[in-house]
Short mmCIF file of all heavy atoms in Angstrom, two decimals:
data_model
loop_
_atom_site.label_atom_id
_atom_site.label_comp_id
_atom_site.label_asym_id
_atom_site.label_seq_id
_atom_site.Cartn_x
_atom_site.Cartn_y
_atom_site.Cartn_z
N LEU I 377 -5.60 1.75 15.83
CA LEU I 377 -6.77 1.06 16.40
C LEU I 377 -6.26 0.18 17.54
O LEU I 377 -5.10 -0.23 17.52
CB LEU I 377 -7.37 0.11 15.35
CG LEU I 377 -8.29 0.62 14.27
CD1 LEU I 377 -8.77 -0.58 13.44
CD2 LEU I 377 -9.50 1.35 14.84
N PRO I 378 -7.15 -0.19 18.50
CA PRO I 378 -6.72 -1.15 19.52
C PRO I 378 -6.23 -2.43 18.82
O PRO I 378 -6.86 -2.90 17.89
CB PRO I 378 -8.00 -1.43 20.31
CG PRO I 378 -8.91 -0.26 20.02
CD PRO I 378 -8.53 0.27 18.67
N GLY I 379 -5.06 -2.90 19.25
CA GLY I 379 -4.49 -4.10 18.60
C GLY I 379 -3.46 -3.72 17.54
O GLY I 379 -2.69 -4.56 17.09
N GLY I 380 -3.45 -2.46 17.13
CA GLY I 380 -2.46 -2.00 16.15
C GLY I 380 -1.31 -1.32 16.85
O GLY I 380 -1.31 -1.16 18.07
N GLY I 381 -0.32 -0.89 16.08
CA GLY I 381 0.81 -0.19 16.72
C GLY I 381 1.99 -0.02 15.79
O GLY I 381 1.93 -0.38 14.61
N VAL I 382 3.04 0.54 16.36
CA VAL I 382 4.27 0.78 15.62
C VAL I 382 5.43 0.26 16.46
O VAL I 382 5.44 0.47 17.67
CB VAL I 382 4.48 2.30 15.41
CG1 VAL I 382 5.85 2.58 14.85
CG2 VAL I 382 3.42 2.87 14.47
N ALA I 383 6.37 -0.43 15.85
CA ALA I 383 7.55 -0.88 16.59
C ALA I 383 8.79 -0.40 15.87
O ALA I 383 8.90 -0.52 14.64
CB ALA I 383 7.55 -2.40 16.69
N GLY I 384 9.72 0.14 16.62
CA GLY I 384 11.03 0.45 16.07
C GLY I 384 11.21 1.85 15.50
O GLY I 384 12.28 2.15 14.98
N TRP I 385 10.20 2.71 15.60
CA TRP I 385 10.36 4.06 15.06
C TRP I 385 11.04 4.97 16.07
O TRP I 385 10.75 4.87 17.28
CB TRP I 385 9.01 4.66 14.71
CG TRP I 385 8.61 4.46 13.29
CD1 TRP I 385 9.32 3.82 12.31
CD2 TRP I 385 7.40 4.91 12.69
NE1 TRP I 385 8.61 3.85 11.14
CE2 TRP I 385 7.44 4.51 11.34
CE3 TRP I 385 6.28 5.62 13.15
CZ2 TRP I 385 6.41 4.79 10.45
CZ3 TRP I 385 5.26 5.90 12.27
CH2 TRP I 385 5.33 5.48 10.93
N ASN I 386 11.86 5.91 15.60
CA ASN I 386 12.41 6.92 16.51
C ASN I 386 11.37 8.02 16.73
O ASN I 386 10.32 8.05 16.07
CB ASN I 386 13.75 7.47 16.00
CG ASN I 386 13.60 8.14 14.65
OD1 ASN I 386 12.50 8.58 14.28
ND2 ASN I 386 14.68 8.23 13.89
N LEU I 387 11.70 8.92 17.66
CA LEU I 387 10.73 9.95 18.04
C LEU I 387 10.34 10.84 16.86
O LEU I 387 9.17 11.16 16.66
CB LEU I 387 11.32 10.78 19.19
CG LEU I 387 10.38 11.82 19.79
CD1 LEU I 387 9.20 11.13 20.47
CD2 LEU I 387 11.11 12.70 20.81
N LYS I 388 11.35 11.19 16.05
CA LYS I 388 11.10 12.08 14.90
C LYS I 388 10.04 11.46 13.98
O LYS I 388 9.09 12.11 13.55
CB LYS I 388 12.42 12.29 14.15
CG LYS I 388 12.29 13.19 12.95
CD LYS I 388 13.64 13.39 12.27
CE LYS I 388 13.44 13.81 10.82
NZ LYS I 388 14.56 13.42 9.97
N ARG I 389 10.22 10.16 13.71
CA ARG I 389 9.31 9.49 12.79
C ARG I 389 7.89 9.38 13.38
O ARG I 389 6.88 9.50 12.69
CB ARG I 389 9.88 8.11 12.47
CG ARG I 389 9.22 7.42 11.31
CD ARG I 389 9.26 8.27 10.06
NE ARG I 389 8.13 7.98 9.23
CZ ARG I 389 8.14 7.15 8.19
NH1 ARG I 389 9.25 6.60 7.81
NH2 ARG I 389 7.04 6.93 7.50
N LYS I 390 7.83 9.16 14.72
CA LYS I 390 6.51 9.09 15.38
C LYS I 390 5.81 10.44 15.28
O LYS I 390 4.61 10.51 15.03
CB LYS I 390 6.68 8.71 16.86
CG LYS I 390 6.91 7.23 17.06
CD LYS I 390 6.96 6.89 18.54
CE LYS I 390 7.36 5.45 18.73
NZ LYS I 390 7.97 5.18 20.02
N ILE I 391 6.60 11.50 15.46
CA ILE I 391 6.00 12.84 15.41
C ILE I 391 5.48 13.13 13.99
O ILE I 391 4.37 13.66 13.81
CB ILE I 391 7.03 13.92 15.86
CG1 ILE I 391 7.30 13.75 17.36
CG2 ILE I 391 6.52 15.34 15.57
CD1 ILE I 391 8.43 14.60 17.91
N ILE I 392 6.24 12.74 12.97
CA ILE I 392 5.80 12.98 11.58
C ILE I 392 4.48 12.25 11.32
O ILE I 392 3.52 12.81 10.81
CB ILE I 392 6.88 12.53 10.56
CG1 ILE I 392 8.12 13.42 10.66
CG2 ILE I 392 6.32 12.56 9.13
CD1 ILE I 392 9.26 13.02 9.75
N SER I 393 4.42 10.96 11.71
CA SER I 393 3.21 10.17 11.44
C SER I 393 2.00 10.70 12.23
O SER I 393 0.92 10.90 11.66
CB SER I 393 3.45 8.70 11.78
OG SER I 393 2.27 7.96 11.59
N CYS I 394 2.21 10.94 13.54
CA CYS I 394 1.09 11.45 14.36
C CYS I 394 0.68 12.83 13.86
O CYS I 394 -0.51 13.15 13.78
CB CYS I 394 1.46 11.51 15.83
SG CYS I 394 1.63 9.89 16.54
N GLY I 395 1.67 13.66 13.51
CA GLY I 395 1.38 15.00 13.01
C GLY I 395 0.55 14.96 11.74
O GLY I 395 -0.42 15.70 11.59
N ALA I 396 0.92 14.07 10.83
CA ALA I 396 0.20 13.97 9.56
C ALA I 396 -1.25 13.54 9.80
O ALA I 396 -2.20 14.09 9.23
CB ALA I 396 0.90 12.96 8.65
N ASN I 397 -1.43 12.56 10.70
CA ASN I 397 -2.79 12.10 11.00
C ASN I 397 -3.58 13.16 11.76
O ASN I 397 -4.77 13.35 11.51
CB ASN I 397 -2.73 10.77 11.77
CG ASN I 397 -2.60 9.60 10.82
OD1 ASN I 397 -3.55 9.22 10.15
ND2 ASN I 397 -1.40 9.06 10.72
N TYR I 398 -2.89 13.88 12.67
CA TYR I 398 -3.57 14.91 13.46
C TYR I 398 -4.04 16.05 12.56
O TYR I 398 -5.19 16.50 12.63
CB TYR I 398 -2.63 15.42 14.55
CG TYR I 398 -3.27 16.48 15.43
CD1 TYR I 398 -4.22 16.13 16.38
CD2 TYR I 398 -2.94 17.82 15.26
CE1 TYR I 398 -4.83 17.10 17.16
CE2 TYR I 398 -3.55 18.80 16.04
CZ TYR I 398 -4.49 18.44 16.99
OH TYR I 398 -5.09 19.40 17.74
N LEU I 399 -3.15 16.49 11.66
CA LEU I 399 -3.50 17.58 10.74
C LEU I 399 -4.70 17.20 9.87
O LEU I 399 -5.63 17.99 9.68
CB LEU I 399 -2.28 17.90 9.85
CG LEU I 399 -2.43 19.08 8.89
CD1 LEU I 399 -2.50 20.39 9.66
CD2 LEU I 399 -1.27 19.13 7.89
N THR I 400 -4.68 15.96 9.39
CA THR I 400 -5.78 15.50 8.55
C THR I 400 -7.08 15.44 9.34
O THR I 400 -8.14 15.87 8.87
CB THR I 400 -5.45 14.11 7.96
OG1 THR I 400 -4.14 14.14 7.43
CG2 THR I 400 -6.44 13.73 6.87
N GLN I 401 -7.01 14.94 10.59
CA GLN I 401 -8.22 14.85 11.41
C GLN I 401 -8.76 16.24 11.73
O GLN I 401 -9.96 16.48 11.67
CB GLN I 401 -7.94 14.11 12.74
CG GLN I 401 -7.73 12.62 12.60
CD GLN I 401 -8.93 11.88 12.01
OE1 GLN I 401 -10.05 12.39 12.01
NE2 GLN I 401 -8.70 10.70 11.47
N LEU I 402 -7.83 17.15 12.01
CA LEU I 402 -8.22 18.51 12.38
C LEU I 402 -8.98 19.19 11.24
O LEU I 402 -10.03 19.81 11.43
CB LEU I 402 -6.94 19.29 12.70
CG LEU I 402 -7.10 20.68 13.28
CD1 LEU I 402 -7.56 20.57 14.73
CD2 LEU I 402 -5.76 21.43 13.24
N LEU I 403 -8.46 19.04 10.02
CA LEU I 403 -9.04 19.77 8.90
C LEU I 403 -10.13 18.99 8.17
O LEU I 403 -11.08 19.57 7.64
CB LEU I 403 -7.94 20.18 7.91
CG LEU I 403 -6.91 21.18 8.47
CD1 LEU I 403 -5.80 21.40 7.48
CD2 LEU I 403 -7.58 22.51 8.80
N LEU I 404 -10.00 17.68 8.11
CA LEU I 404 -10.91 16.92 7.24
C LEU I 404 -11.82 15.95 8.00
O LEU I 404 -12.83 15.49 7.45
CB LEU I 404 -10.10 16.15 6.19
CG LEU I 404 -9.33 17.04 5.21
CD1 LEU I 404 -8.20 16.26 4.55
CD2 LEU I 404 -10.25 17.59 4.14
N ARG I 405 -11.47 15.61 9.21
CA ARG I 405 -12.25 14.70 10.07
C ARG I 405 -12.73 13.42 9.39
O ARG I 405 -13.89 13.04 9.52
CB ARG I 405 -13.48 15.44 10.64
CG ARG I 405 -13.12 16.68 11.39
CD ARG I 405 -14.24 17.20 12.26
NE ARG I 405 -13.77 18.36 13.00
CZ ARG I 405 -13.02 18.30 14.10
NH1 ARG I 405 -12.71 17.14 14.60
NH2 ARG I 405 -12.60 19.40 14.68
N PRO I 406 -11.86 12.70 8.69
CA PRO I 406 -12.32 11.43 8.13
C PRO I 406 -12.51 10.40 9.24
O PRO I 406 -11.77 10.43 10.22
CB PRO I 406 -11.16 11.00 7.21
CG PRO I 406 -9.96 11.64 7.81
CD PRO I 406 -10.43 12.93 8.45
N PRO I 407 -13.52 9.52 9.14
CA PRO I 407 -13.74 8.53 10.21
C PRO I 407 -12.77 7.35 10.10
O PRO I 407 -13.14 6.20 10.27
CB PRO I 407 -15.19 8.09 9.96
CG PRO I 407 -15.37 8.29 8.49
CD PRO I 407 -14.48 9.41 8.06
N ILE I 408 -11.52 7.66 9.81
CA ILE I 408 -10.48 6.64 9.60
C ILE I 408 -9.32 7.02 10.51
O ILE I 408 -8.88 8.17 10.49
CB ILE I 408 -9.99 6.67 8.13
CG1 ILE I 408 -11.14 6.46 7.14
CG2 ILE I 408 -8.86 5.66 7.88
CD1 ILE I 408 -11.79 5.09 7.22
N SER I 409 -8.81 6.05 11.28
CA SER I 409 -7.83 6.41 12.31
C SER I 409 -6.41 6.57 11.77
O SER I 409 -5.58 7.20 12.38
CB SER I 409 -7.85 5.36 13.41
OG SER I 409 -7.70 4.08 12.86
N ASP I 410 -6.11 5.98 10.61
CA ASP I 410 -4.73 6.02 10.10
C ASP I 410 -4.76 6.35 8.61
O ASP I 410 -4.80 5.47 7.75
CB ASP I 410 -4.09 4.64 10.34
CG ASP I 410 -2.63 4.60 9.96
OD1 ASP I 410 -2.11 5.60 9.43
OD2 ASP I 410 -2.00 3.56 10.19
N VAL I 411 -4.72 7.65 8.31
CA VAL I 411 -4.91 8.04 6.89
C VAL I 411 -3.65 7.89 6.06
O VAL I 411 -3.71 7.85 4.83
CB VAL I 411 -5.42 9.50 6.76
CG1 VAL I 411 -6.81 9.64 7.28
CG2 VAL I 411 -4.46 10.48 7.39
N THR I 412 -2.48 7.81 6.71
CA THR I 412 -1.25 7.71 5.93
C THR I 412 -0.79 6.27 5.74
O THR I 412 0.16 6.00 5.02
CB THR I 412 -0.10 8.49 6.61
OG1 THR I 412 0.04 8.01 7.96
CG2 THR I 412 -0.38 9.97 6.64
N GLY I 413 -1.47 5.35 6.39
CA GLY I 413 -1.09 3.94 6.27
C GLY I 413 -1.24 3.47 4.83
O GLY I 413 -2.14 3.91 4.11
N SER I 414 -0.34 2.56 4.42
CA SER I 414 -0.45 2.14 3.02
C SER I 414 -0.50 0.63 2.89
O SER I 414 0.02 0.07 1.95
CB SER I 414 0.69 2.72 2.21
OG SER I 414 1.90 2.43 2.83
N PHE I 415 -1.14 0.00 3.88
CA PHE I 415 -1.44 -1.43 3.76
C PHE I 415 -2.95 -1.49 3.57
O PHE I 415 -3.71 -1.26 4.51
CB PHE I 415 -1.00 -2.13 5.05
CG PHE I 415 -0.83 -3.61 4.94
CD1 PHE I 415 -0.28 -4.33 6.01
CD2 PHE I 415 -1.20 -4.33 3.80
CE1 PHE I 415 -0.10 -5.70 5.95
CE2 PHE I 415 -1.02 -5.70 3.73
CZ PHE I 415 -0.47 -6.38 4.81
N ARG I 416 -3.38 -1.72 2.34
CA ARG I 416 -4.81 -1.61 2.05
C ARG I 416 -5.28 -2.62 1.02
O ARG I 416 -4.50 -3.08 0.19
CB ARG I 416 -5.15 -0.22 1.50
CG ARG I 416 -4.99 0.87 2.52
CD ARG I 416 -5.46 2.20 1.99
NE ARG I 416 -5.20 3.24 2.96
CZ ARG I 416 -5.06 4.53 2.67
NH1 ARG I 416 -5.17 4.93 1.42
NH2 ARG I 416 -4.83 5.41 3.62
#
Side-chain angles (χ1 to χ4, degrees):
L377 279 183
V382 171
W385 266 0
N386 61 23
L387 185 65
K388 180 179 158 206
R389 193 56 210 263
K390 281 184 187 156
I391 292 172
I392 293 177
S393 176
C394 290
N397 276 286
Y398 181 75
L399 184 69
T400 312
Q401 288 300 341
L402 188 73
L403 295 174
L404 296 160
R405 304 196 177 280
I408 303 295
S409 52
D410 185 355
V411 292
T412 55
S414 52
F415 198 172
R416 292 186 184 156

